[in-house]
Amino acid sequence: MEQRIDRIKKQLQSQSYKLTPQREATVRVLLEHEDDHLSAEDVYMLVKEKYPEIGLATVYRTLELLTELKVVDKINFGDGVSRYDLRQEGAAHFHHHLVCLECGAVDEIQEDLLGDVEDEVEKRWNFQIKDHRLTFHGICHRCHSEDPSS
Amino acid sequence: MEQRIDRIKKQLQSQSYKLTPQREATVRVLLEHEDDHLSAEDVYMLVKEKYPEIGLATVYRTLELLTELKVVDKINFGDGVSRYDLRQEGAAHFHHHLVCLECGAVDEIQEDLLGDVEDEVEKRWNFQIKDHRLTFHGICHRCHSEDPSS
DNA sequence: TTATCATTTGACACTCATTATCATTAAGCA
DNA sequence: TGCTTAATGATAATGAGTGTCAAATGATAA
Ligand SMILES: [Mn+2]
Ligand SMILES: [Mn+2]
Ligand SMILES: [Zn+2]
Ligand SMILES: [Zn+2]
């Protein structure tokens, strides 16, 4: 945790940004909720518990900054709010998502499954891939096993 | 074109919806811009050229209806507006997108490249896939060839 | 054709996530 | 200690999308 914050601090400083207390508090919330997909408002509420004076605009600005630095990815599941997803440190690719149409759960696939597909796209479409977004919509393992009618 | 509208009409009627003039005008705009990714506002402007009395709310309602019927897919490229993408008739899967970070162009891959990946996800994650969204971000073939520095 | 009634429409008010503004404060540095 | 710029918090503004409701439309039955 502390080491991770330290690396983010160095990343900020290398672009002459400061790791202010507000920014640190925000990063801590993101690290503590690594598996969740928090909206800006969610983050705001959680940061307020530890740092009540923080303003909503600061949270938005920090999340924007972290997105620029590729510390987080900004994603959208179509529910009207952007969500912020911590990237795995050192991971070359953004992880994939499984969205359950039944219960709304969002699970993650950290393993990269797109290697072959990306090779094909680069060759056949002459498109140089920098990043990707892959989401599957369906029925998760929990809903699947609990529903005998499927 | 006319046959396609006719099939959509039948699809509407099978759920006891009517193909009103406003709805037909909206569908025509979508068909005429099959390769584009229009926002609701875009659609509204284009429909107004042929049907100036139409209201914005009606366009939103029609797009919502067509999404329910799976005539279009509602997508989001992270620029703050939803976009509506006509589905290929009879296609089992939603097509993929190539978004160019350089020029902003959005190209399509109609071919399904995810067959093997989906089999693996269904087995290993016990997740029953109903739909998917796949977008690659990178440099398109046009920008790629015109830029000797890459 | 005409009466009936549910559906659809258009205008407009409203919500709410996000962004812009701006005066104030904090941090780094001479 | 001053000086300068970056960062913050409060608040206003923006803008996509939704809710409301009276009026118009369209299908159907008499
Ligand atoms: Mn995730
Ligand atoms: Mn498309
Ligand atoms: Zn589920
Ligand atoms: Zn391009």
Side-chain angles (χ1 to χ4, degrees), chain B residues 124-145:
Chain B
R124 291 183 46 199
W125 279 268
N126 190 23
F127 184 90
Q128 191 187 344
I129 296 173
K130 300 280 194 187
D131 199 4
H132 60 222
R133 295 296 162 94
L134 174 59
T135 303
F136 294 106
H137 303 244
I139 310 297
C140 80
H141 65 93
R142 294 171 293 271
C143 296
H144 195 254
S145 53

mmCIF file of all heavy atoms in Angstrom, chain B residues 124-145:
data_model
loop_
_atom_site.group_PDB
_atom_site.id
_atom_site.type_symbol
_atom_site.label_atom_id
_atom_site.label_comp_id
_atom_site.label_asym_id
_atom_site.label_seq_id
_atom_site.Cartn_x
_atom_site.Cartn_y
_atom_site.Cartn_z
ATOM 1 N N ARG B 124 -14.387 -21.384 -18.276
ATOM 2 C CA ARG B 124 -13.518 -21.140 -17.114
ATOM 3 C C ARG B 124 -14.153 -20.232 -16.072
ATOM 4 O O ARG B 124 -13.860 -20.315 -14.896
ATOM 5 C CB ARG B 124 -12.185 -20.566 -17.579
ATOM 6 C CG ARG B 124 -11.380 -21.610 -18.344
ATOM 7 C CD ARG B 124 -10.022 -21.084 -18.744
ATOM 8 N NE ARG B 124 -9.333 -20.388 -17.666
ATOM 9 C CZ ARG B 124 -8.314 -19.547 -17.860
ATOM 10 N NH1 ARG B 124 -7.895 -19.314 -19.097
ATOM 11 N NH2 ARG B 124 -7.745 -18.957 -16.833
ATOM 12 N N TRP B 125 -15.027 -19.298 -16.513
ATOM 13 C CA TRP B 125 -15.646 -18.397 -15.539
ATOM 14 C C TRP B 125 -17.109 -18.766 -15.279
ATOM 15 O O TRP B 125 -17.789 -18.101 -14.542
ATOM 16 C CB TRP B 125 -15.511 -16.949 -15.989
ATOM 17 C CG TRP B 125 -14.166 -16.371 -15.668
ATOM 18 C CD1 TRP B 125 -13.825 -15.690 -14.541
ATOM 19 C CD2 TRP B 125 -12.988 -16.443 -16.468
ATOM 20 N NE1 TRP B 125 -12.498 -15.341 -14.609
ATOM 21 C CE2 TRP B 125 -11.953 -15.791 -15.757
ATOM 22 C CE3 TRP B 125 -12.677 -17.019 -17.718
ATOM 23 C CZ2 TRP B 125 -10.653 -15.672 -16.261
ATOM 24 C CZ3 TRP B 125 -11.393 -16.897 -18.205
ATOM 25 C CH2 TRP B 125 -10.380 -16.238 -17.480
ATOM 26 N N ASN B 126 -17.559 -19.807 -15.950
ATOM 27 C CA ASN B 126 -18.930 -20.258 -15.791
ATOM 28 C C ASN B 126 -19.912 -19.089 -15.959
ATOM 29 O O ASN B 126 -20.789 -18.857 -15.132
ATOM 30 C CB ASN B 126 -19.099 -20.922 -14.418
ATOM 31 C CG ASN B 126 -20.430 -21.628 -14.290
ATOM 32 O OD1 ASN B 126 -21.032 -22.000 -15.309
ATOM 33 N ND2 ASN B 126 -20.906 -21.807 -13.073
ATOM 34 N N PHE B 127 -19.702 -18.353 -17.027
ATOM 35 C CA PHE B 127 -20.494 -17.148 -17.295
ATOM 36 C C PHE B 127 -21.189 -17.344 -18.644
ATOM 37 O O PHE B 127 -20.532 -17.578 -19.668
ATOM 38 C CB PHE B 127 -19.557 -15.934 -17.338
ATOM 39 C CG PHE B 127 -20.259 -14.614 -17.506
ATOM 40 C CD1 PHE B 127 -20.679 -13.892 -16.390
ATOM 41 C CD2 PHE B 127 -20.482 -14.075 -18.774
ATOM 42 C CE1 PHE B 127 -21.308 -12.667 -16.536
ATOM 43 C CE2 PHE B 127 -21.113 -12.854 -18.920
ATOM 44 C CZ PHE B 127 -21.530 -12.146 -17.801
ATOM 45 N N GLN B 128 -22.510 -17.245 -18.619
ATOM 46 C CA GLN B 128 -23.272 -17.481 -19.848
ATOM 47 C C GLN B 128 -23.390 -16.193 -20.657
ATOM 48 O O GLN B 128 -24.144 -15.292 -20.300
ATOM 49 C CB GLN B 128 -24.661 -17.986 -19.477
ATOM 50 C CG GLN B 128 -25.451 -18.505 -20.665
ATOM 51 C CD GLN B 128 -26.874 -18.838 -20.259
ATOM 52 O OE1 GLN B 128 -27.162 -18.965 -19.062
ATOM 53 N NE2 GLN B 128 -27.761 -18.958 -21.228
ATOM 54 N N ILE B 129 -22.633 -16.096 -21.737
ATOM 55 C CA ILE B 129 -22.529 -14.849 -22.496
ATOM 56 C C ILE B 129 -23.754 -14.625 -23.379
ATOM 57 O O ILE B 129 -24.169 -15.497 -24.141
ATOM 58 C CB ILE B 129 -21.259 -14.855 -23.359
ATOM 59 C CG1 ILE B 129 -20.023 -14.889 -22.452
ATOM 60 C CG2 ILE B 129 -21.219 -13.630 -24.272
ATOM 61 C CD1 ILE B 129 -18.719 -15.059 -23.189
ATOM 62 N N LYS B 130 -24.335 -13.430 -23.257
ATOM 63 C CA LYS B 130 -25.474 -13.055 -24.088
ATOM 64 C C LYS B 130 -25.066 -12.005 -25.127
ATOM 65 O O LYS B 130 -25.681 -11.902 -26.184
ATOM 66 C CB LYS B 130 -26.575 -12.449 -23.204
ATOM 67 C CG LYS B 130 -27.103 -13.369 -22.115
ATOM 68 C CD LYS B 130 -28.109 -14.355 -22.648
ATOM 69 C CE LYS B 130 -28.858 -15.018 -21.493
ATOM 70 N NZ LYS B 130 -29.736 -16.096 -21.975
ATOM 71 N N ASP B 131 -24.106 -11.199 -24.794
ATOM 72 C CA ASP B 131 -23.701 -10.110 -25.691
ATOM 73 C C ASP B 131 -22.293 -9.664 -25.309
ATOM 74 O O ASP B 131 -21.774 -10.075 -24.271
ATOM 75 C CB ASP B 131 -24.674 -8.937 -25.530
ATOM 76 C CG ASP B 131 -24.608 -7.989 -26.716
ATOM 77 O OD1 ASP B 131 -23.874 -8.267 -27.679
ATOM 78 O OD2 ASP B 131 -25.313 -6.968 -26.677
ATOM 79 N N HIS B 132 -21.722 -8.838 -26.136
ATOM 80 C CA HIS B 132 -20.372 -8.350 -25.817
ATOM 81 C C HIS B 132 -20.148 -6.970 -26.410
ATOM 82 O O HIS B 132 -20.877 -6.528 -27.297
ATOM 83 C CB HIS B 132 -19.318 -9.329 -26.342
ATOM 84 C CG HIS B 132 -19.369 -9.519 -27.831
ATOM 85 N ND1 HIS B 132 -19.240 -10.749 -28.432
ATOM 86 C CD2 HIS B 132 -19.573 -8.642 -28.847
ATOM 87 C CE1 HIS B 132 -19.335 -10.606 -29.747
ATOM 88 N NE2 HIS B 132 -19.544 -9.340 -30.024
ATOM 89 N N ARG B 133 -19.143 -6.306 -25.889
ATOM 90 C CA ARG B 133 -18.695 -5.018 -26.409
ATOM 91 C C ARG B 133 -17.184 -5.070 -26.489
ATOM 92 O O ARG B 133 -16.527 -5.336 -25.471
ATOM 93 C CB ARG B 133 -19.118 -3.873 -25.471
ATOM 94 C CG ARG B 133 -20.621 -3.682 -25.376
ATOM 95 C CD ARG B 133 -21.197 -3.262 -26.711
ATOM 96 N NE ARG B 133 -22.627 -3.489 -26.728
ATOM 97 C CZ ARG B 133 -23.528 -2.566 -26.425
ATOM 98 N NH1 ARG B 133 -23.122 -1.371 -26.095
ATOM 99 N NH2 ARG B 133 -24.811 -2.844 -26.478
ATOM 100 N N LEU B 134 -16.662 -4.827 -27.677
ATOM 101 C CA LEU B 134 -15.207 -4.837 -27.840
ATOM 102 C C LEU B 134 -14.780 -3.632 -28.661
ATOM 103 O O LEU B 134 -15.252 -3.421 -29.780
ATOM 104 C CB LEU B 134 -14.763 -6.132 -28.540
ATOM 105 C CG LEU B 134 -13.285 -6.213 -28.916
ATOM 106 C CD1 LEU B 134 -12.381 -6.076 -27.697
ATOM 107 C CD2 LEU B 134 -12.994 -7.528 -29.648
ATOM 108 N N THR B 135 -13.913 -2.827 -28.076
ATOM 109 C CA THR B 135 -13.399 -1.645 -28.771
ATOM 110 C C THR B 135 -11.889 -1.600 -28.637
ATOM 111 O O THR B 135 -11.363 -1.773 -27.535
ATOM 112 C CB THR B 135 -14.001 -0.362 -28.154
ATOM 113 O OG1 THR B 135 -15.426 -0.433 -28.217
ATOM 114 C CG2 THR B 135 -13.527 0.868 -28.907
ATOM 115 N N PHE B 136 -11.221 -1.385 -29.765
ATOM 116 C CA PHE B 136 -9.774 -1.185 -29.724
ATOM 117 C C PHE B 136 -9.470 0.297 -29.903
ATOM 118 O O PHE B 136 -10.086 0.964 -30.742
ATOM 119 C CB PHE B 136 -9.090 -1.989 -30.837
ATOM 120 C CG PHE B 136 -9.208 -3.469 -30.659
ATOM 121 C CD1 PHE B 136 -10.063 -4.214 -31.459
ATOM 122 C CD2 PHE B 136 -8.465 -4.116 -29.682
ATOM 123 C CE1 PHE B 136 -10.185 -5.586 -31.285
ATOM 124 C CE2 PHE B 136 -8.582 -5.490 -29.506
ATOM 125 C CZ PHE B 136 -9.433 -6.221 -30.297
ATOM 126 N N HIS B 137 -8.546 0.780 -29.107
ATOM 127 C CA HIS B 137 -8.096 2.159 -29.233
ATOM 128 C C HIS B 137 -6.682 2.120 -29.796
ATOM 129 O O HIS B 137 -5.844 1.361 -29.299
ATOM 130 C CB HIS B 137 -8.074 2.841 -27.863
ATOM 131 C CG HIS B 137 -9.388 2.820 -27.148
ATOM 132 N ND1 HIS B 137 -10.081 3.963 -26.845
ATOM 133 C CD2 HIS B 137 -10.139 1.797 -26.701
ATOM 134 C CE1 HIS B 137 -11.203 3.634 -26.223
ATOM 135 N NE2 HIS B 137 -11.263 2.325 -26.113
ATOM 136 N N GLY B 138 -6.417 2.935 -30.802
ATOM 137 C CA GLY B 138 -5.077 2.926 -31.382
ATOM 138 C C GLY B 138 -4.966 3.867 -32.562
ATOM 139 O O GLY B 138 -5.664 4.878 -32.611
ATOM 140 N N ILE B 139 -4.066 3.506 -33.495
ATOM 141 C CA ILE B 139 -3.833 4.372 -34.648
ATOM 142 C C ILE B 139 -4.369 3.682 -35.891
ATOM 143 O O ILE B 139 -3.965 2.565 -36.218
ATOM 144 C CB ILE B 139 -2.328 4.643 -34.824
ATOM 145 C CG1 ILE B 139 -1.702 5.097 -33.495
ATOM 146 C CG2 ILE B 139 -2.098 5.683 -35.918
ATOM 147 C CD1 ILE B 139 -2.243 6.384 -32.954
ATOM 148 N N CYS B 140 -5.268 4.356 -36.575
ATOM 149 C CA CYS B 140 -5.924 3.742 -37.737
ATOM 150 C C CYS B 140 -4.972 3.684 -38.931
ATOM 151 O O CYS B 140 -3.963 4.369 -38.963
ATOM 152 C CB CYS B 140 -7.202 4.487 -38.086
ATOM 153 S SG CYS B 140 -6.976 6.002 -39.034
ATOM 154 N N HIS B 141 -5.361 2.897 -39.922
ATOM 155 C CA HIS B 141 -4.479 2.684 -41.079
ATOM 156 C C HIS B 141 -4.170 3.975 -41.821
ATOM 157 O O HIS B 141 -3.081 4.154 -42.344
ATOM 158 C CB HIS B 141 -5.104 1.655 -42.025
ATOM 159 C CG HIS B 141 -6.396 2.104 -42.650
ATOM 160 N ND1 HIS B 141 -6.455 2.734 -43.872
ATOM 161 C CD2 HIS B 141 -7.672 2.046 -42.198
ATOM 162 C CE1 HIS B 141 -7.717 3.003 -44.155
ATOM 163 N NE2 HIS B 141 -8.482 2.599 -43.150
ATOM 164 N N ARG B 142 -5.112 4.919 -41.808
ATOM 165 C CA ARG B 142 -4.868 6.191 -42.499
ATOM 166 C C ARG B 142 -3.787 7.002 -41.786
ATOM 167 O O ARG B 142 -2.811 7.434 -42.388
ATOM 168 C CB ARG B 142 -6.163 6.994 -42.572
ATOM 169 C CG ARG B 142 -7.223 6.333 -43.456
ATOM 170 C CD ARG B 142 -8.564 7.044 -43.326
ATOM 171 N NE ARG B 142 -9.135 6.872 -41.996
ATOM 172 C CZ ARG B 142 -9.942 5.854 -41.649
ATOM 173 N NH1 ARG B 142 -10.273 4.950 -42.540
ATOM 174 N NH2 ARG B 142 -10.395 5.752 -40.424
ATOM 175 N N CYS B 143 -3.965 7.211 -40.497
ATOM 176 C CA CYS B 143 -2.982 7.991 -39.730
ATOM 177 C C CYS B 143 -1.640 7.273 -39.673
ATOM 178 O O CYS B 143 -0.588 7.893 -39.652
ATOM 179 C CB CYS B 143 -3.496 8.233 -38.319
ATOM 180 S SG CYS B 143 -4.980 9.247 -38.313
ATOM 181 N N HIS B 144 -1.699 5.967 -39.641
ATOM 182 C CA HIS B 144 -0.507 5.155 -39.539
ATOM 183 C C HIS B 144 0.407 5.352 -40.742
ATOM 184 O O HIS B 144 1.602 5.587 -40.620
ATOM 185 C CB HIS B 144 -0.939 3.688 -39.451
ATOM 186 C CG HIS B 144 0.140 2.781 -38.986
ATOM 187 N ND1 HIS B 144 0.795 1.924 -39.826
ATOM 188 C CD2 HIS B 144 0.690 2.605 -37.766
ATOM 189 C CE1 HIS B 144 1.698 1.250 -39.128
ATOM 190 N NE2 HIS B 144 1.655 1.644 -37.878
ATOM 191 N N SER B 145 -0.159 5.295 -41.934
ATOM 192 C CA SER B 145 0.649 5.374 -43.144
ATOM 193 C C SER B 145 1.084 6.799 -43.458
ATOM 194 O O SER B 145 2.085 7.033 -44.104
ATOM 195 C CB SER B 145 -0.128 4.795 -44.331
ATOM 196 O OG SER B 145 -1.391 5.426 -44.416
#
